[in-house]
Amino acid sequence: DAGITQSPRYKITETGRQVTLMCHQTWSHSYMFWYRQDLGHGLRLIYYSAAADITDKGEVPDGYVVSRSKTENFPLTLESATRSQTSVYFCASRAPGTEGRPQHFGDGTRLSIL
Amino acid sequence: GENVEQHPSTLSVQEGDSAVIKCTYSDSASNYFPWYKQELGKRPQLIIDIRSNVGEKKDQRIAVTLNKTAKHFSLHITETQPEDSAVYFCAASNPGANNLFFGTGTRLTVIP
């Protein structure tokens, strides 16, 4: 689905550096999510946002910061990258509603921290 | 919170055979159960979903069944083809949660 795009697709950085992963969606979905995917752990939720200026922690938020000043953007920042944050990061979005809505994923960012 | 367990972690089948992946969930309030397929190096993509007011749903060669009493749901793929080879994830959500809770995935290999 071209409606949600992540950048960059690949990133290599060093420990201690700050790095920001971008996520942009064109569906005007109110909900956006950040996951990390590691072997043996599946998809683990880092942070999510229910609307602009509303964010909440997921399962593994430590070491990450998010913001949501506009509905369409949901950047994820690693303020001081560590090797344990080497992973594939997926952004997702969904429409509002409590009766269950599918999440739609971006293509992911493969992040390596040396 | 919700806990979703998925089995098996790997599954190999001969082309043309059926494949079944099972998931259990812990929160009886969960009411939405999607399944995602992830090919190597690609994004997870929704292939089928089911809500708790339905016991079974089919879409061509794939089907999902839900047993609310036992709190488990399963993905069935019939007449498997090599292009079905991928990692499959189950997930669950409930009205009180804003996000999905994912299983750890099943790597399906279809042997030609």
Side-chain angles (χ1 to χ4, degrees):
Chain A
D1 297 19
I4 183 164
T5 55
Q6 293 184 235
S7 61
R9 291 294 316 279
Y10 304 92
K11 177 73 176 178
I12 300 174
T13 190
E14 297 176 339
T15 55
R17 296 283 184 104
Q18 182 180 83
V19 58
T20 296
L21 310 183
M22 304 301 293
C23 180
H24 176 79
Q25 53 102 358
T26 58
W27 291 308
S28 298
H29 283 169
S30 58
Y31 283 90
M32 296 188 75
F33 306 85
W34 274 107
Y35 294 89
R36 61 177 291 173
Q37 185 173 39
D38 307 287
L39 277 175
H41 291 281
L43 291 153
R44 291 185 292 175
L45 182 67
I46 304 171
Y47 269 96
Y48 70 96
S49 170
D53 298 322
I54 301 174
T55 62
D56 211 344
K57 295 179 180 179
E59 181 185 358
V60 289
D62 293 344
Y64 303 95
V65 174
V66 293
S67 62
R68 185 117 181 257
S69 57
K70 293 184 178 181
T71 300
E72 60 266 31
N73 297 323
F74 190 38
L76 175 74
T77 298
L78 290 67
E79 292 192 307
S80 179
T82 65
R83 290 198 178 93
S84 65
Q85 294 177 307
T86 291
S87 186
V88 180
Y89 291 85
F90 285 99
C91 178
S93 72
R94 73 163 175 87
T98 58
E99 65 273 28
R101 291 275 191 270
Q103 293 183 15
H104 302 277
F105 287 82
D107 285 328
T109 295
R110 186 173 294 275
L111 178 64
S112 296
I113 300 165
L114 306 178
Chain B
E2 175 65 277
N3 181 46
V4 178
E5 295 190 354
Q6 183 171 348
H7 300 281
S9 57
T10 60
L11 178 61
S12 292
V13 299
Q14 292 288 333
E15 182 177 358
D17 287 350
S18 295
V20 180
I21 302 170
K22 299 180 180 181
C23 290
T24 61
Y25 60 98
S26 61
D27 190 341
S28 57
S30 288
N31 63 351
Y32 177 64
F33 308 92
W35 285 88
Y36 287 82
K37 175 183 180 182
Q38 187 178 27
E39 297 177 358
L40 190 62
K42 300 288 183 65
R43 68 176 80 188
Q45 290 197 298
L46 179 75
I47 55 171
I48 196 167
D49 57 8
I50 191 168
R51 291 184 169 78
S52 59
N53 58 347
V54 175
E56 183 175 2
K57 184 176 179 181
K58 286 185 179 180
D59 183 3
Q60 299 183 351
R61 293 187 298 108
I62 60 173
V64 57
T65 58
L66 172 65
N67 183 326
K68 288 190 293 182
T69 302
K71 290 189 283 187
H72 68 71
F73 55 112
S74 300
L75 178 71
H76 304 254
I77 305 174
T78 59
E79 301 172 20
T80 54
Q81 300 167 4
E83 51 265 40
D84 294 328
S85 296
V87 178
Y88 292 81
F89 291 96
C90 64
S93 75
N94 60 65
N98 294 308
N99 55 291
L100 293 173
F101 299 89
F102 284 88
T104 50
T106 297
R107 181 174 298 280
L108 173 65
T109 302
V110 179
I111 304 165

